[in-house]
Amino acid sequence: MILLKNRFTYKSIFQKSKLPSQSHVIRTYKVLAIESSCDDSCIALLERTKPNQTPTIIDHTKKTLNSAAVGGIMPTAAYTYHMSTIANMCIEFCSKHNLSAQTPPDLICVTRGPGMAGSLSSSTEFAKGLSVAWNVPLIGVHHMLGHLLTSFLPTKESEQKQPPNYPFLSLLCSGGHTMLVLSKSVSEHEIIINVSDIAVGDSLDKCARELGLYGNMLGRELEKFINDIPIEEIEEFKILPIDTRLSNKYNFKLTLPYQNPKNGKFQDDIIQFAFAQFLSNIQSYKKKFINSNIIEDEKIKRMIAYKTQEYIFDHIIDRINLAFKRHGLNRSKSDGKFIGVKDFVCSGGVAANSRLREKLFNNLNYNEIGSNPLNFHFPDLSLCTDNAVMIGYAGMEIFEKLKLKTNLNFIPIRKWPLNKLLSVESWVQVNDDEINRVCKYNL
């Protein structure tokens, strides 16, 4: 009955609107995307009508495991959550958008890695089932490639802003990753700076929890807490010296990791981020100067929160500026790798932090790599945290630009370096006939 009703509906719409003949109808192709690499169950539907055109985001939805009460994400709980959530979410989503075996999407994209193995497998196996049932090709997408390419999607603030041009630099900063990447194409990515211990998002979350904040997204709670600090205290904290414990009345000391040597030479061959010390600094301060595990003096708590977030972001700026110096214009001291880079992308969950955006915009020494200011690209706030839209778009680029799909024998990849995007097993080359059959472009 439903199929008959739908047919009659389509017929009546066709008759009333007097659509043009079939040869003049603009054909499109739709992509269903699924993401579940951590604690978010996400589904999205994208549509594209022309090659290289920014796809239209038809819809996207997300459900998140509430892990605030247990103090962090538990892999087994996340796996159970996805297993009980993804299928029903997909049924509702497909029903809403008339997707079925009779009217399937043209391409399915799913996060293959990196991420928690259980969380990944819940959606990869489900996506395989849809691919078989609907006879639709499948793309296993790199999660961080998805974050990197969100800068190509329009934002609410500037729908007409030009996307970045290759080569461009990306700061990918999330709960699981922090890296500076030089991207030369969809498949060519060089990791310039990686993290040596824990990611920036993880550090912010743990510092917030150590300060007594509560919530499911503690990094965001920390930002809100700092934004509510009275302006007069902010002005006091800005000029508060904390290079030694004796330099301030709070006995609070904080320094940047990996300080540059005074002679200007690089201290080692590898530039790295490091964020674990910010958590240990708060923990050691509480043990030494606070008689309880709880900081009861609210002003001290506000000071530590403000200074910690500032220094975490200052560390990011310091490392990127060092990379600019190493790979920039001065041929006698650098390799010139960044010369010609005009665009800088910041994406991932921490990219939603307005203070980080402000510091990147104001404090990067872009004159080390060119004479003109960098063009900064920040994804729409709704696409900074994990989402399926980015997975769908990255999958479209892999399918169309690289002419690849994923064999159904693939397994999730817990650790998958971005610079080894194509070196993993199960990539399958597709020919132009299959691409044209899927994409349906009416050129």
Side-chain angles (χ1 to χ4, degrees), residues 172-195:
L172 303 179
C173 46
S174 66
H177 299 84
T178 310
M179 62 183 79
L180 182 70
V181 179
L182 175 63
S183 297
K184 298 179 181 179
S185 70
V186 173
S187 60
E188 297 176 276
H189 309 281
E190 181 180 352
I191 299 174
I192 305 297
I193 311 176
N194 212 334
V195 66

Side-chain angles (χ1 to χ4, degrees), residues 231-340:
I231 186 64
E232 61 272 13
E233 287 189 3
I234 291 288
E235 294 303 316
E236 175 190 340
F237 298 157
K238 278 182 182 179
I239 61 175
L240 183 71
I242 55 172
D243 53 327
T244 68
R245 296 199 189 280
L246 299 178
S247 60
N248 64 86
K249 63 182 180 181
Y250 302 101
N251 293 312
F252 184 70
K253 178 184 177 181
L254 189 57
T255 58
L256 296 181
Y258 301 133
Q259 283 298 282
N260 297 334
K262 293 181 179 180
N263 60 12
K265 295 181 180 179
F266 302 113
Q267 67 182 67
D268 50 35
D269 293 331
I270 301 175
I271 306 174
Q272 293 181 308
F273 294 120
F275 300 100
Q277 80 167 51
F278 296 102
L279 171 64
S280 61
N281 187 74
I282 296 175
Q283 291 173 332
S284 63
Y285 179 80
K286 288 169 64 176
K287 288 180 181 179
K288 190 169 184 178
F289 295 99
I290 306 296
N291 294 326
S292 167
N293 287 328
I294 301 173
I295 301 176
E296 296 181 351
D297 188 314
E298 291 298 317
K299 186 174 182 180
I300 292 178
K301 184 185 296 187
R302 292 192 291 269
M303 180 275 297
I304 295 175
Y306 174 82
K307 283 296 191 180
T308 298
Q309 180 180 262
E310 286 292 296
Y311 270 57
I312 284 175
F313 294 156
D314 285 343
H315 171 58
I316 291 175
I317 301 297
D318 174 70
R319 296 292 89 190
I320 296 175
N321 280 336
L322 183 59
F324 281 7
K325 186 175 181 181
R326 176 177 290 189
H327 303 298
L329 290 169
N330 191 336
R331 291 288 190 177
S332 64
K333 296 182 179 180
S334 77
D335 55 17
K337 190 176 292 185
F338 291 174
I339 295 176

Side-chain angles (χ1 to χ4, degrees), residues 7-17:
R7 288 177 183 172
F8 291 139
T9 302
Y10 295 152
K11 183 177 180 181
S12 63
I13 292 174
F14 184 86
Q15 290 174 338
K16 290 178 182 178
S17 59

